[in-house]
Amino acid sequence: MAPMIQPMEQQITVEGPTIAIFNVAMIGHVNPTFALVQELRRRGCKVHYFLPPVAPIRAAAIESGAVVEGYLPEDPSDFVMEKCGIDEPLIHIVPEILEDDRAEFERSVWPLAQALLCGEHVIERCRQLGVSVVLYDPFLPLGLLAATKLGIQCASLVTYPGMGSLSGLMSSLEAEGRLERAATIRRPYGKAIQEKFGVDLSCDLLTRRQFYTKANFVTTCEDLIAELPALGERNWADELRREFSFSAVGCLVSSSAPHVITARSDSFIPRVKSFGHSLPVAELSDQVAKGRKIIYAALGTMALSDRWSIDLGRISAANLPYGTTGKAFCQHVWKALLAAMEELGDDFFCVLSVGKQPDALDFLGSSEAEIDELVPSNVLIRGFVPQVEMLNNYASAFISHVGFNSLQESLMAGVPLVAIPQAVDQPANAFKVGQRGWGQAFFKPMETVTSTALAEALRRVCDESGGYRQAVQCARLELAGGAPRLAESVVSMALGGC
């Protein structure tokens, strides 16, 4: 494919090492990397960013200074990496996996199937470019494969607080024997990769849900890395300690870096005219001038898109009941929030991001008029808004699912949180919010989130005398400087350092 060249005004003439980055089409995984790209470019590095064909993500990578590369020679526009190997999986290996948990089966298959499909092109392209260092999301063994085959240095970019944040899920999977079954599924793919490329990806490891390597950079401060179970308590955790090392580099959030707010199409719910994705600057400025507390509420792009119809309970470590979909979770919180805003009255104003599912607000009615009638006058609904800008310039408090990027963006903006976690690493992040005094946290939210409880939590976190904002400011100091620090480490690797 012909690489996508960056705008002329961003090109840098200083010759430096060439860095390749590999990533997935997930906002929480790509957004932290754009500030790193900017820092690498400032140091004279050339950055080639391998990405799936998702226009908003590719545009942000180019804006940050990278040259975008495709995963296949012709860079087909319909390539979806998460579908690799799924249509023709090796079902005969462990057939009961499909019956018990197809999602787990697919999660084990597609990363390795993608490596088999895309490996030849990516390895040859990295050779042509003279890549010195490979950085890759640990979802993608393709990055590890290319670096190992070419004998160049590599590191994974861990954009969540480490596998300790997944302790509940991982321990449950181990107890049910699902980690071992997943390893069985991976085994023939790993063998095929070894036969084709001569590279052993150690696919039998229990922790190969993430393809870590010897050096792994965690994009946060040391204090925010979640602890693993005690030594000897869980096999997967002991394996992680034995096989890999992790370095906290600090937060990569930057207000000057590109920030993708949605990786989907730009179509929004047609029946509500006020929906959109621009920041309502005039309205917000007016509310600030009136002395009102600005509440920003966003429950994460995954719950509002990919996980809208799937069971979050199975990946929540008992935080949500089995059968709770993204829609059920979001609408439960939204109902409580709308009622809480009525209770809070004119001293508060809320910007609520609801995504763009056609049935997002069907609990309010089936027409625009019905919905408008039931939305309080101190609530403004948007599909999405530029989150970093919203937090940095307007928000007094952030109602969040506390996905790791949202958590760190809030801390870096100095905004206290009301944490309402769903699944995966979010309960662990919410625990940290409460423990460190960064805000209020609701666990088992389908039971605990009520309009009264939410209104009281908002009053507390917005109270300047409550200590929440001061605690957040302290966290900001701990987190700062991640992008320059990580860029220096990468340059050192490229020049032959450790």
Side-chain angles (χ1 to χ4, degrees), residues 54-133:
V54 179
I57 293 176
R58 286 189 168 192
I62 294 170
E63 184 183 348
S64 68
V67 176
V68 168
E69 303 279 348
Y71 281 117
L72 290 168
E74 301 303 319
D75 194 22
S77 61
D78 60 349
F79 174 66
V80 180
M81 60 174 58
E82 295 88 352
K83 298 296 183 183
C84 290
I86 301 306
D87 293 334
E88 298 179 2
L90 301 181
I91 299 174
H92 62 277
I93 303 167
V94 188
E96 65 271 18
I97 290 286
L98 279 179
E99 300 170 9
D100 291 348
D101 191 349
R102 181 173 178 84
E104 184 67 30
F105 184 91
E106 293 180 354
R107 175 65 188 83
S108 301
V109 166
W110 75 257
L112 295 165
Q114 187 211 359
L116 278 168
L117 176 65
C118 304
E120 287 180 323
H121 168 69
V122 164
I123 289 168
E124 181 56 29
R125 185 65 182 144
C126 287
R127 182 183 286 115
Q128 292 171 353
L129 294 169
V131 170
S132 300
V133 176

Side-chain angles (χ1 to χ4, degrees), residues 372-408:
D372 284 345
E373 185 177 347
L374 293 174
V375 174
S377 60
N378 60 347
V379 175
L380 180 65
I381 294 177
R382 279 287 193 265
F384 297 99
V385 300
Q387 184 161 292
V388 172
E389 185 178 353
M390 178 70 193
L391 290 169
N392 274 289
N393 297 305
Y394 301 103
S396 304
F398 183 17
I399 298 175
S400 173
H401 65 306
V402 284
F404 200 53
N405 282 296
S406 290
L407 170 61
Q408 293 203 113

Side-chain angles (χ1 to χ4, degrees), residues 29 101 103-112 137-141 160 163 166 169-171 173-174 178-180 182-183 186 202-212 236 239-240 244 307 314-315 424:
H29 293 236
D101 191 349
E104 184 67 30
F105 184 91
E106 293 180 354
R107 175 65 188 83
S108 301
V109 166
W110 75 257
L112 295 165
D137 187 279
F139 264 110
L140 296 180
Y160 57 94
M163 200 168 272
L166 307 178
L169 174 62
M170 290 293 291
S171 297
L173 293 175
E174 181 176 9
R178 291 161 69 192
L179 290 183
E180 292 184 355
R186 290 191 298 267
S202 303
C203 291
D204 283 342
L205 293 175
L206 296 177
T207 49
R208 273 313 194 206
R209 289 177 64 86
Q210 301 287 307
F211 282 82
Y212 300 123
W236 68 265
E239 176 187 276
L240 197 72
F244 309 108
R307 295 173 180 165
R314 295 183 64 84
I315 55 174
V424 197

Side-chain angles (χ1 to χ4, degrees), residues 226-245:
E227 292 185 7
L228 292 171
L231 187 64
E233 185 175 315
R234 293 292 179 184
N235 291 333
W236 68 265
D238 292 348
E239 176 187 276
L240 197 72
R241 291 187 180 93
R242 182 175 65 250
E243 299 288 339
F244 309 108
S245 63

Side-chain angles (χ1 to χ4, degrees), residues 252-327:
L252 305 189
V253 170
S254 168
S255 59
S256 64
H259 189 88
V260 182
I261 60 174
T262 175
R264 308 302 173 187
S265 72
D266 289 332
S267 60
F268 285 84
I269 304 173
R271 63 169 176 251
V272 181
K273 294 180 182 178
S274 61
F275 280 19
H277 59 280
S278 61
L279 200 65
V281 172
E283 179 74 12
L284 287 168
S285 298
D286 180 59
Q287 297 298 328
V288 170
K290 293 176 180 176
R292 290 171 178 164
K293 301 292 186 182
I294 308 297
I295 309 302
Y296 172 50
L299 298 179
T301 54
M302 292 301 291
L304 298 175
S305 55
D306 299 49
R307 295 173 180 165
W308 187 251
S309 301
I310 72 166
D311 182 2
L312 295 178
R314 295 183 64 84
I315 55 174
S316 73
N319 186 56
L320 297 175
Y322 275 18
T324 304
T325 61
K327 176 181 179 179

